């Protein structure tokens, strides 16, 4: 085995988490190989809303969330849909999800997430600067808009969690909102702006630029699908792939929503699920907000991107293999028009693009970040759910700490992969 930080490390998965991790490991002097069966950055990291929201400490399962589920499922424009044939498969996850959303647990989850998310803008800016991609990073804040005082009141606990974790918020009434973002519908009566948040104007380009930088610095990207691990006692000898073995002293599992079977290979049965999400993009839109804006009732985000306006959101529970239901993406246009009335009534198909991706989600909204049970040489870094772009820079730093056997930069005890055992 190699010594003194110069270890051979295999990073499984070339998404935002994988590329940030690979770069941190490379900075430590390790010899790093990213293993990716498709193209780098074309998983969930491709088409997300691009927001680096250090303030997103609110878990998806909150007290009362599960009670809203029947209402959401009945609403064709609702934020949640379920393929009924998938219900038996996802029931155990949903049971854990419901159990995770108690008042005391969500306070603990938010507190655990804050150090993972809060440093994102300076960290991602540093990574992007080295990669010559700083122009893709912006810090204009994130705006949450509400149509009524009642709907803002419903989010009271979410805002309390953010504030108790040090998030500063500026509030705007209708007239002030109009000045801040003139393109927004006048139906919004309240806006809450979190200035610390940032975004990327092209998530896919950002991952590609990080990958190019990694390769320029001597890193390798191998086109292969990881299938397992070969251990020599408690030590890792190699990772197995569909094109043969890759000798490695350490491996990082960051295959996003596809990580579950590989962790199971090592005896770790983790409740990872895909929360499928969609985007719809309009090229050359007639109206576009300057600040990424979340419609708090519709639970979607409008982000200004280099290539147009992106509406992203919705959750669909249907597993990894079912075909996309493009109605879920198209409904974002109907909702987006209500947010931005200046948009046209109709669009030619060539001005629109649609996408579906798999959020890698855990029922308690905390990632699996730590060592596998079978060997200290395999580290898990997956399950970042709705906040994987934001969490990736610090996740990579923590993984590099673990490989170097330094104390982790933040407290990772709440992310212990064994917490569900
Ligand atoms: C609609 C939507 C909007 C979102 N908005 C935001 C947002 O604004 N901010 C935010 O922080 N997060 C957001 N997210 C979440 C975010 O996109 C994800 O959490 C994040 O991209 C996950 O990154 P990842 O690297 O773990 O996974 P991925 O990007 O999915 O990468 C995993 C990679 O692993 C590869 N892989 C799979 N199997 C194997 C194997 N066997 N061997 C090797 N490689 C393998 C895949 O090909 C893929 O390239 C959003 C998600 C969606 C769907």
């Amino acid at each position: 085995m190699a010594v003194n930080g110069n270890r051979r490390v295999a990073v499984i998965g070339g998404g935002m988490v994988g590329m940030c991790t690979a770069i941190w490991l490379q900075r430590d002097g390790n010899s790093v190989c990213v293993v990716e069966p498709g193209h780098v950055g074309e998983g969930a990291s491709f088409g997300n809303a691009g927001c680096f929201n250090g303030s997103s400490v609110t878990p998806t399962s909150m007290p009362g969330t599960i009670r809203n589920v029947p209402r959401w499922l009945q609403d064709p424009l609702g934020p949640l849909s379920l393929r009924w044939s998938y219900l038996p498969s996802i029931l155990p996850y949903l049971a854990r999800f419901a159990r995770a959303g108690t008042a005391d647990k969500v306070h603990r989850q938010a507190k655990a997430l804050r150090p993972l998310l809060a440093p994102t803008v300076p960290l991602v800016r540093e990574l992007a600067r080295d990669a010559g991609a700083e122009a893709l990073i912006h810090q204009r804040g994130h705006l949450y808009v509400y149509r009524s005082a009642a709907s803002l009141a419903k989010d009271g606990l979410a805002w309390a969690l953010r504030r108790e974790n040090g998030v500063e918020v500026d509030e705007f009434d209708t007239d002030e909102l109009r000045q801040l973002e003139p393109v927004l519908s006048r139906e919004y009566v309240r806006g809450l702006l979190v200035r610390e948040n940032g975004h990327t104007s092209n998530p896919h380009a950002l991952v590609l630029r990080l990958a190019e930088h990694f390769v320029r610095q001597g890193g390798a990207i191998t086109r292969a699908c990881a299938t397992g691990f070969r251990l020599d006692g408690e030590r890792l000898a190699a990772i197995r792939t569909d094109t043969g073995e890759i000798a490695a002293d350490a491996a990082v599992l960051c295959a996003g929503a596809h990580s579950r079977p590989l962790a199971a290979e090592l005896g770790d049965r983790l409740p990872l699920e895909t929360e499928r999400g969609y985007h719809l993009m309009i090229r050359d839109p007639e109206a576009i907000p300057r600040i990424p804006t979340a419609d708090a009732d519709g639970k979607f985000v409008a982000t200004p991107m280099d290539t147009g306006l992106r509406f992203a959101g919705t959750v669909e529970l249907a597993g990894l293999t079912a075909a996309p239901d493009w109605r879920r993406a198209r409904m974002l246009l109907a909702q987006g028009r209500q947010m931005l009335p200046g948009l046209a009534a109709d669009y030619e198909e060539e001005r629109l693009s649609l996408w579906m991706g798999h959020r890698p989600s855990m029922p308690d909204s905390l990632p699996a970040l730590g060592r596998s049970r079978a060997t200290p040489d395999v580290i898990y870094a997956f399950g970042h759910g709705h906040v994987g772009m934001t969490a990736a820079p610090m996740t990579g730093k923590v993984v590099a700490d673990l490989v170097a056997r330094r104390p982790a930069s933040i407290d990772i005890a709440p992310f212990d992969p064994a917490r569900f055992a």
Side-chain angles (χ1 to χ4, degrees):
M1 188 176 79
V3 288
N4 292 340
N6 184 16
R7 305 175 82 203
R8 296 164 304 170
V9 189
V11 172
I12 300 172
M16 181 67 175
V17 174
M19 289 324 306
C20 290
T21 299
I23 290 174
W24 284 113
L25 287 165
Q26 193 176 49
R27 284 182 175 192
D28 271 351
N30 296 294
S31 171
V32 185
C33 172
V34 172
V35 180
E36 165 62 53
H39 296 285
V40 161
E42 293 192 4
S45 303
F46 179 88
N48 52 71
C51 301
F52 295 120
N53 285 354
S55 64
S56 288
V57 296
T58 48
T60 37
S61 179
M62 297 274 277
T65 303
I66 210 84
R67 277 202 306 277
N68 287 323
V69 168
R71 183 169 52 86
W72 285 334
L73 290 180
Q74 278 166 21
D75 177 359
L77 289 187
L80 176 69
S81 79
L82 167 71
R83 298 266 171 106
W84 291 103
S85 56
Y86 194 61
L87 183 61
S89 311
I90 203 172
L91 264 180
Y93 176 91
L94 290 178
R96 286 184 194 275
F97 180 87
R99 284 202 298 275
T102 63
D104 60 324
K105 285 184 187 160
V106 297
H107 284 276
R108 276 186 266 142
Q109 290 152 0
K111 191 167 173 228
L113 281 172
R114 181 65 171 155
L116 185 68
L117 305 179
T120 183
V121 173
L123 284 184
V124 79
R125 196 165 257 157
E126 180 191 324
L127 294 171
R129 193 171 40 234
D130 282 359
E134 214 186 350
L136 296 174
I137 310 296
H138 312 271
Q139 189 170 16
R140 303 177 195 157
H142 192 92
L143 182 63
Y144 301 79
V145 288
Y146 291 86
R147 287 172 193 276
S148 68
S151 65
L152 174 56
K154 277 194 210 144
D155 269 0
L157 176 58
W159 287 105
L161 291 176
R162 293 187 183 107
R163 287 189 164 107
E164 75 189 31
N165 284 287
V167 174
E168 287 180 14
V169 183
D170 289 337
E171 291 205 31
F172 296 82
D173 64 20
T174 315
D175 292 337
E176 292 163 337
L177 258 184
R178 182 110 193 112
Q179 286 179 22
L180 186 71
E181 279 292 6
V183 291
L184 288 178
S185 160
R186 281 170 183 261
E187 284 181 12
Y188 293 114
V189 299
R190 212 86 196 144
L192 279 74
L193 177 66
V194 180
R195 293 185 197 271
E196 71 173 71
N197 291 336
H199 78 281
T200 172
S201 46
N202 193 333
H204 181 220
L206 176 62
V207 182
L208 288 182
R209 301 294 263 291
L210 294 176
E212 286 158 13
H213 170 72
F214 165 73
V215 171
R216 275 196 303 273
Q217 298 298 111
I221 299 180
T222 296
R223 191 86 175 262
C225 184
T227 53
F229 306 89
R230 182 160 64 78
L231 301 187
D232 183 3
E234 269 218 334
R235 305 323 302 241
L236 179 70
I239 67 162
R240 295 200 168 99
T241 79
D242 58 352
T243 60
E245 286 194 353
I246 298 175
D249 307 306
V252 189
L253 177 52
C254 38
H258 305 269
S259 303
R260 193 169 64 186
L262 288 164
E265 259 261 314
L266 293 172
D268 293 304
R269 297 173 60 80
L270 293 172
L272 178 71
E273 254 304 330
T274 163
E275 282 184 72
R276 296 149 57 111
Y278 289 82
H279 89 208
L280 177 139
M281 284 198 73
I282 307 174
R283 190 159 44 78
D284 302 325
E286 298 74 12
I288 188 164
R290 204 183 66 82
I291 305 170
T293 301
D295 180 301
D297 296 316
K299 303 204 183 307
F300 68 94
V301 180
T303 309
M305 295 277 174
D306 293 341
T307 47
L309 167 63
R310 179 172 295 176
F311 294 114
T314 93
V315 169
E316 182 186 45
L317 303 176
L320 284 169
T321 53
D325 176 357
W326 295 119
R327 290 172 304 180
R328 300 290 301 163
R330 290 191 187 276
M331 82 181 202
L332 289 166
L333 180 57
Q335 291 179 311
R337 275 207 198 91
Q338 288 170 19
M339 174 191 262
L340 304 168
L343 290 176
D346 273 312
Y347 287 98
E348 290 163 16
E349 280 301 311
E350 61 176 36
R351 279 180 67 195
L352 302 178
S353 58
L354 314 180
W355 170 84
M356 188 274 283
H358 296 282
R359 296 183 192 88
S361 296
M362 302 288 277
D364 58 1
S365 301
L366 305 179
L369 179 53
R371 297 183 197 279
S372 75
R373 177 206 308 244
T375 165
D377 300 329
V378 177
I379 293 161
Y380 297 150
F382 58 82
H384 298 83
H386 292 237
V387 292
M389 293 298 288
T390 308
M394 181 52 93
T395 295
K397 195 165 193 286
V398 165
V399 170
D401 291 335
L402 295 180
V403 169
R405 299 185 185 274
R406 291 187 296 263
S409 300
I410 59 168
D411 178 15
I412 57 166
F415 311 135
D416 185 353
R419 67 188 183 278
F420 296 103

